[in-house]
Amino acid sequence: MSTRFWCETAWVDGEVATGVLLTADDTGTLTSVETGIDTPPTIAEVVPGFTLPGGVNAHSHAFHRILRGRTHGDGGTFWTWREVMYSVAATLSPENYETVARAVFAEMLAGGYTSVGEFHYVHHAPDGTPYGLGTDAESGRPRGDVSAHDEPRTHAMERALARAAASAGLRIRLLDTCYLTGGIDTDLSEEQARFGDGSIDGYMDRHAGLSKAFATEFPVNAPGESFVHVGSAIHSIRAVPAANLPRFAELEGPVHVHLSEQPTENDVCQAAYGTTPTQVLDRSGVVASNLSAVHATHLSDDDIATLGGAEANIVMCPCTEADLADGIGPARELADAGATISIGSDQHVVLDALRETQGMEAGERLRSGQRGRFSPAELITSLTKGGARSLDLPVGELAVGKACDFIAVRTDSIRTFGSVGEQIILSATSADVTMTVSGAQVRVRDGVHTELGEISELYRAAFAALGMED
């Protein structure tokens, strides 16, 4: 069995093509991409407008979506915003987090994303006890072993996220995050207790167990049907001691890290280690082509050269960086130095792949006084192939052997009418996304999830699950 879509116009091999016929096999993997097919076959679904490979959201904290529209009343700073974030994190359980994440992931699909890198650090119960350990009958304290009876509860938060993504039809790279200290040479606070694993060995052991569990529960088969993948992450230089960083060079696959998001982070790093966070990572052997530096806002020229020379990935999150007053990172200079640029939504100020991409170019124009810092083609590449490289997923292109993941964008709306070719990347928003497809299945049509229904109702259930109905 195969599934076919005939696209009026589509982005294929780095240019606009007309009459594009996409054929996918029963795994949701593209087996044929034909252009110049003037008449749609009767067995193909017609896709009007402009078809783009599905957007790749390379940096997400799903539960941060709960903060949208709730942290602006008194201005504040990144650090005061963080305190509100901690208060939300404290309310999460595997059950309610699955409900929250399902709504967020459905909104991502409606917003033009078909894949996500979920930077996840809420691993344990609020007091830091790992899920699934049970308690000792005599002492009442958590056991150090996992019985067969408790096995389904191990990695409970991670499983909740994976199930939420799979049920929505969003491809996920769960970036299992190491978070050991509350700051350089500072213990975790009470609010951070559930993030930590005690030691780098504790993290590595749990990470290996998670990878093994997911390989069994969510086997990676053909590109189109492989929806759950595991990666690793260093929360930040503040949260992982420099002596522990070389262990991440031992891991295969993507490694992500929050890097130089705030000047304060650079200042404390300089005081402790005598150099910048980028150089600490480089000394540890972590800066490589599988590294993704998230934000990378406050960098020195040497930092840019180091990241570019290693052909590292950079995840820009323009809407979050603007919302938190982080600053504007040197995306153009990083790209020119050899880094690959990708896009993330981070705290989900908006879940709109097109606005997020436009935000990167807008920031570049504002800080440089020049237009066209990234061409429309480069912006599309950052949203698609760049993110695919960051997460090491078989997506980002309408090409044989890749997953059949794409979005369809209206070309005749009040925002897009008259847009020329790929320049629609600078005029469209998520309101123009009429169809989102992943694994050759239509997941969202005209803003409504085809299986989960109205996304606003999913959020109603999510806020109710958190006791935040008001």
Side-chain angles (χ1 to χ4, degrees):
M1 295 291 293
S2 62
T3 303
R4 289 184 166 188
F5 299 92
W6 181 87
C7 308
E8 186 177 15
T9 60
W11 187 251
V12 180
D13 293 332
E15 61 184 15
V16 179
T18 59
V20 178
L21 182 62
L22 305 176
T23 303
D25 63 19
D26 58 3
T27 72
T29 305
L30 286 167
T31 57
S32 176
V33 178
E34 303 172 74
T35 61
I37 309 298
D38 295 333
T39 304
T42 55
I43 58 173
E45 176 161 359
V46 175
V47 183
F50 185 44
T51 297
L52 285 165
V56 179
N57 184 349
H59 187 69
S60 160
H61 303 288
F63 76 91
H64 288 194
R65 164 61 181 85
I66 299 300
L67 302 178
R68 186 189 295 171
R70 303 174 75 91
T71 64
H72 307 283
D74 59 355
T77 67
F78 168 86
W79 306 102
T80 58
W81 170 90
R82 191 177 71 157
E83 293 306 313
V84 180
M85 180 271 288
Y86 284 158
S87 70
V88 174
T91 69
L92 298 177
S93 68
E95 293 73 22
N96 65 30
Y97 201 8
E98 184 170 349
T99 302
V100 169
R102 186 182 298 112
V104 176
F105 293 156
E107 187 188 0
M108 279 189 199
L109 288 159
Y113 298 110
T114 55
S115 300
V116 66
E118 181 61 30
F119 198 104
H120 168 68
Y121 51 82
V122 189
H123 303 299
H124 308 302
D127 65 355
T129 302
Y131 288 101
L133 291 187
T135 56
D136 181 82
E138 294 184 5
S139 69
R141 292 193 297 269
R143 293 198 310 266
D145 65 315
V146 179
S147 70
H149 176 73
D150 290 321
E151 177 62 27
R153 286 288 290 176
T154 61
H155 313 298
M157 296 295 274
E158 291 77 15
R159 283 185 158 107
L161 286 166
R163 287 193 301 268
S167 67
L170 184 75
R171 214 170 295 279
I172 186 172
R173 173 74 72 177
L174 197 150
L175 297 163
D176 183 35
T177 303
C178 184
Y179 201 133
L180 301 177
T181 58
I184 296 175
D185 296 326
T186 304
D187 291 338
L188 292 175
S189 66
E190 183 177 346
E191 298 95 332
Q192 297 166 327
R194 67 188 311 187
F195 307 161
D197 292 300
S199 67
I200 188 63
D201 288 335
Y203 168 79
M204 289 293 174
D205 288 346
R206 187 185 55 74
H207 179 72
L210 174 65
S211 298
K212 182 178 179 181
F214 273 28
T216 300
E217 191 169 346
F218 305 100
V220 175
N221 298 312
E225 63 182 5
S226 301
F227 274 84
V228 178
H229 306 252
V230 176
S232 60
I234 301 158
H235 179 272
S236 60
I237 294 298
R238 292 177 287 108
V240 180
N244 297 155
L245 293 173
R247 298 291 297 278
F248 289 88
E250 303 170 6
L251 299 178
E252 296 182 356
V255 177
H256 285 224
V257 60
H258 290 132
L259 186 68
S260 293
E261 180 178 5
Q262 289 283 328
T264 300
E265 177 185 339
N266 286 0
D267 293 343
V268 297
C269 184
Q270 186 73 41
Y273 300 124
T275 191
T276 66
T278 298
Q279 301 309 320
V280 172
L281 291 172
D282 192 42
R283 291 174 183 176
S284 303
V286 178
V287 179
S289 60
N290 69 326
L291 181 73
S292 288
V294 181
H295 303 303
T297 306
H298 302 282
L299 302 180
S300 68
D301 290 344
D302 285 345
D303 292 341
I304 293 170
T306 296
L307 293 164
E311 298 181 346
N313 304 281
I314 307 297
V315 188
M316 309 302 295
C317 305
C319 292
T320 286
E321 288 146 10
D323 180 74
L324 297 179
D326 287 343
I328 301 171
R332 183 69 264 172
E333 289 87 343
L334 284 159
D336 291 343
T340 296
I341 308 298
S342 58
I343 299 294
S345 67
D346 195 2
Q347 61 147 326
H348 319 310
V349 178
V350 296
L351 275 171
D352 186 324
L354 298 159
R355 277 185 60 188
E356 202 77 61
T357 306
Q358 293 157 13
M360 183 173 72
E361 171 63 11
E364 281 291 316
R365 294 183 184 192
L366 287 170
R367 76 181 185 90
S368 70
Q370 299 173 347
R371 301 184 77 219
R373 297 280 286 176
F374 287 91
S375 69
E378 287 178 308
L379 293 174
I380 293 172
T381 297
S382 294
L383 177 61
T384 57
K385 292 176 69 174
R389 184 179 190 269
S390 171
L391 299 181
D392 190 22
L393 292 178
V395 299
E397 302 174 73
L398 299 178
V400 172
K402 300 293 185 181
C404 183
D405 293 7
F406 65 83
I407 62 172
V409 180
R410 284 187 62 179
T411 57
D412 61 352
S413 76
I414 57 175
R415 290 162 296 279
T416 61
F417 200 98
S419 298
V420 177
E422 68 269 26
Q423 293 184 53
I424 199 169
I425 193 71
L426 289 161
S427 61
T429 72
S430 62
D432 301 304
V433 176
T434 58
M435 179 189 297
T436 303
V437 171
S438 67
Q441 296 185 43
V442 179
R443 307 294 181 174
V444 175
R445 197 186 295 273
D446 295 325
V448 178
H449 198 284
T450 56
E451 294 186 5
L452 301 178
E454 291 285 351
I455 298 171
S456 60
E457 291 303 312
L458 298 178
Y459 275 120
R460 192 180 305 280
F463 276 77
L466 294 173
M468 300 171 63
E469 294 94 335
D470 58 345

